Amino acid sequence: MTLRNDIEITPELVANHGLKPDEYQKILDLIGREPTFTELGIFSAMWNEHCSYKSSKKWLKTLPTKGPRVLQGPGENAGVVDIGDGQAVVFKMESHNHPSFIEPYQGAATGVGGILRDVFTMGARPIAAMNALRFGEPDHEKTKHLVSGVVAGVGGYGNSFGVPTVGGEVQFDARYNGNILVNAFAAGLADTDKIFLSEAKGVGLPVVYLGAKTGRDGVGGATMASAEFGDDIEEKRPTVQVGDPFTEKRLLEACLELMKTGAVIAIQDMGAAGLTCSAVEMGAKGDLGIELNLDAVPVREERMTPYEMMLSESQERMLMVLHPEKEAEARAVFEKWELDFATVGKTTDDLRFRVLFQGDEVANLPIKELGDEAPEYDRPWVAPTLPAPLDPASVPDADIAEGLLALLDSANHSSRRWVYEQYDTLIQGNSLQTPGGDGGVVRVEGHPTKALAFASDVNPRYCEADPFEGGKQAVAECWRNLIATGSEPLAATDNLNFGNPERPEIMGQIVHAIKGIGEACTALDFPIVSGNVSLYNETNGRGILPTPTIAGVGLIEDHAKMVRSGFAREGDAIVLIGAPENWGSHLGQSAYLRDVLGRREGTAPYVDLAHEKKAGLFVLSLIRDGKVRSAHDLSDGGLALALAEAAIKSGIGAEIATPEHATLATWFGEDQGRYIVTASADEADEIVAASPVSAVVIGSTGGDALKLGQARSISVAELGSAYEGWFPAFMGATIN
């Protein structure tokens, strides 16, 4: 064979491809010779952290991934969960952190595009999107620019494609100054008997390239996403892809139309590492070889090299294995949608990955080993050092009303309306709850009563103080938010964002967070069915807060019984469910401590999973039985912030009693496993009597002000003004 090898492979070149010397030696041992430049690029793409999970794979295997409703767990483009009546929800969350910091609009836009392709690649029509965004401190010189670009990118792509954005998070912290997080989630609906996988089957079958043309954008993007940032960050801009949502919309329709013809054997999105990763994964999963002819690849730039074509991350592209007798029919579908359709290779029986270009063979590698033999590390780790508990006596007494207003008018607890009003939250006409509540809710089109709920959560403060409890809490809060809409939590997807795993203290965070996530998912019957790991999120050695984002999906059998977080009517009793005797006790790592007092101290709150399950299932039963009219979980800001949010969202005030030994923690403590629900007085007494966990009537709704115990009364208008004012003022916008 003739392998083009006209670029010298030097140690510097190997290092620039993100490969360590021992990894390069493994390549030499594996193939018995020096790789070509194209082959080096292929190994770099397949063996980087972003694609191979080489630092986290050992620990990811410990997560619960199975359940009675799980049809497809991790390992495919997205997870698949049965929702009954022959239908399934297909969903996943994935990061686009590094690209979004370098080029915020395109980084965020192509993150949305990539996660949508992961969903419709499986045969599902996307019905909902969310995003979890984390930026640096508001007064950092780049923050406003990054917020503006990322939000515009998320909206620009999702709105044009035509999927409603129904939920998400936006948070600020100085630890994200040099490395923001953009985690994108998408969900779609599919028939359970029409799920498409990426495993190629059959020898001598056509491998077909579909969608948009290949350019030089995104070359080396996956490798860039597996490295820390340094002072040369601006030089990485060419590694960010450029998206076209209108092409993606046509690609969606063409793929779903093609799938109905029965022509598709296997399908894979060209995401990270583009043509390389998609071809290798399809062949390796099917125990087949793949031969590609790059001369047939549609390109939009002149004189592209094999290396560039194999590593390009140009957007809106798919790779398929088709039944040869249906190739002409498939081509007609894509030509109708004005998309490229090119037969670029075939499946083989030799377990080799062969790449041809202008008559030369520029790569010939063992296909299984490209994936299966990727390095897998059991990296050294040290258990996190936990902070000392907070001394309650060190927290001064304060004016409860002023503390609440300060939280509402802060970067992390104010309204996100400025963000989500730039997203189309109603397109497709099925949205029942849009951003701003505990979760987004979308009707299952074609079914008279069913709906799906979506939520995304993590508290990085907790995760740094105690990664194990923080991991548990992220799962529990997502689960609670789904419960609070009236949905049965079905399954979750994770997006694990951490710093450099080669540092034992960071690896310890990863290990403990995954252990906490696994324990919580097991206890709450909430399996992880898909996900993504994003490591090396640091700049010049300064890592982000550990941020293992959890996004979940819940099922509402009858959306007429769905509830919202705002108070439903005046004159209802407010019942606090799942709280300790004093209603709240834990101020360590709390929002009040950080955002009002400027302190980060104490332990993360303990998550009692047995209590979480009992409290949550009881609240869900109350909603399903029509006994409560609103529900809201308690998290950041404790009871005071939850009550204020319920009042602001409804325009209805409330008067709350004071427990016998009230303290600051009564109102701002962040004890877990708590909900506020509203019901008629008679129903409230029945709820208290029937509750398997603590339950107490704490007050009633009504009027135009919120009064918390002995604190001064605050009008709902004043609460709303504080809540709605911060974000527009920060971005220099006006409030309509």
Side-chain angles (χ1 to χ4, degrees), residues 21 26 48 63 129 158 166 202 229 270 434 446 561 568 578 595 644 648 698:
K26 185 170 183 177
N48 64 51
L63 291 172
V166 298
F229 283 152
M270 285 195 227
T434 52
K561 296 180 178 178
D595 297 320
I648 292 165
I698 62 171

Side-chain angles (χ1 to χ4, degrees), residues 486-500:
S487 72
E488 173 197 353
L490 298 181
T493 180
D494 58 11
N495 203 150
L496 310 180
N497 308 273
F498 292 89
N500 185 345

Side-chain angles (χ1 to χ4, degrees), residues 118-346:
D118 281 337
V119 166
F120 71 76
T121 297
M122 304 287 291
R125 179 174 291 278
I127 61 163
M130 296 191 294
N131 51 84
L133 312 177
R134 286 179 168 80
F135 300 101
E137 57 192 334
D139 58 1
H140 187 270
E141 61 183 4
K142 283 191 172 182
T143 298
K144 192 179 296 187
H145 161 71
L146 291 168
V147 172
S148 178
V150 165
V151 171
V154 169
Y157 205 102
N159 298 353
S160 301
F161 178 85
V163 62
T165 298
V166 298
E169 307 169 86
V170 183
Q171 293 286 306
F172 297 87
D173 194 280
R175 292 285 291 282
Y176 302 107
N177 280 350
N179 208 126
I180 65 173
L181 301 184
V182 174
N183 295 172
F185 168 96
L189 280 177
D191 293 337
T192 55
D193 60 350
K194 295 181 180 67
I195 304 297
F196 288 83
L197 305 179
S198 58
E199 178 185 334
K201 298 176 182 177
V203 176
L205 301 180
V207 176
V208 177
Y209 171 115
L210 307 162
K213 288 179 168 57
T214 295
R216 290 188 172 92
D217 51 321
V219 172
T223 302
M224 175 272 292
S226 304
E228 300 176 35
F229 283 152
D231 293 330
D232 61 345
I233 185 169
E234 291 300 323
E235 298 171 15
K236 299 181 184 291
R237 196 174 300 276
T239 62
V240 179
Q241 312 95 321
V242 177
D244 178 356
F246 300 106
T247 297
E248 178 128 331
K249 172 65 172 172
R250 287 184 286 124
L251 183 61
L252 161 72
E253 299 299 344
C255 285
L256 295 183
E257 185 175 332
L258 178 59
M259 288 166 173
K260 292 177 181 177
T261 69
V264 179
I265 296 173
I267 179 170
Q268 178 71 37
D269 159 44
M270 285 195 227
L275 191 53
T276 289
C277 201
S278 55
V280 170
E281 287 185 3
M282 289 176 75
K285 285 180 181 176
D287 292 321
L288 295 168
I290 297 280
E291 180 184 294
L292 293 180
N293 177 11
L294 298 186
D295 297 340
V297 172
V299 294
R300 66 168 183 263
E301 299 186 49
E302 294 181 357
R303 295 186 295 279
M304 287 193 70
T305 66
Y307 178 95
E308 290 171 329
M309 282 191 266
M310 293 306 297
L311 297 191
S312 167
E313 294 183 6
S314 294
Q315 297 292 287
E316 296 89 41
R317 301 179 302 158
M318 295 281 191
L319 204 63
M320 290 189 186
V321 175
L322 299 179
H323 289 288
E325 69 276 10
K326 291 183 176 285
E327 190 173 343
E329 185 179 359
R331 182 183 297 276
V333 169
F334 273 75
E335 288 178 349
K336 182 187 84 171
W337 288 100
E338 298 180 349
L339 294 163
D340 278 295
F341 180 103
T343 301
V344 296
K346 63 182 179 181

Side-chain angles (χ1 to χ4, degrees), residues 42 469 629:
I42 289 170
E469 287 300 324
R629 294 179 174 82

Side-chain angles (χ1 to χ4, degrees), residues 475-493:
V475 174
E477 188 176 346
C478 180
W479 195 80
R480 283 199 304 271
N481 277 323
L482 294 173
I483 291 281
T485 66
S487 72
E488 173 197 353
L490 298 181
T493 180

Side-chain angles (χ1 to χ4, degrees), residues 496-669:
L496 310 180
N497 308 273
F498 292 89
N500 185 345
E502 296 168 44
R503 292 165 51 193
E505 66 274 18
I506 299 297
M507 195 64 216
Q509 291 177 344
I510 297 168
V511 170
H512 278 245
I514 291 175
K515 286 183 175 182
I517 290 167
E519 186 167 305
C521 287
T522 298
L524 299 175
D525 301 318
F526 199 40
I528 299 286
V529 298
S530 59
N532 172 245
V533 177
S534 175
L535 306 182
Y536 297 95
N537 288 292
E538 41 186 85
T539 299
N540 293 327
R542 176 69 163 164
I544 62 164
L545 290 171
T547 312
T549 310
I550 303 294
V553 177
L555 176 65
I556 301 174
E557 291 287 356
D558 182 359
H559 55 69
K561 296 180 178 178
M562 173 189 77
V563 294
R564 302 176 186 274
S565 58
F567 296 137
R569 66 179 190 179
E570 299 202 8
D572 275 345
I574 302 171
V575 184
L576 175 62
I577 295 176
E581 182 180 0
N582 233 32
W583 302 359
S585 63
H586 191 96
L587 280 174
Q589 300 298 332
S590 66
Y592 181 86
L593 204 65
R594 181 188 71 171
D595 297 320
V596 177
L597 300 183
R599 294 165 55 180
R600 296 176 186 245
E601 301 167 43
T603 56
Y606 172 67
V607 182
D608 181 336
L609 293 168
H611 169 87
E612 286 279 1
K613 191 169 187 178
K614 280 194 288 188
L617 293 181
F618 178 61
V619 170
L620 181 58
S621 72
L622 295 176
I623 296 170
R624 285 178 165 175
D625 292 344
K627 293 183 177 178
V628 299
R629 294 179 174 82
S630 71
H632 192 13
D633 86 303
L634 273 59
S635 53
D636 266 12
L639 177 60
L641 194 58
L643 289 165
E645 289 170 343
I648 292 165
K649 287 176 173 59
S650 62
I652 299 171
E655 185 166 346
I656 309 300
T658 307
E660 187 177 350
H661 303 291
T663 67
L664 195 71
T666 296
W667 306 108
F668 297 113

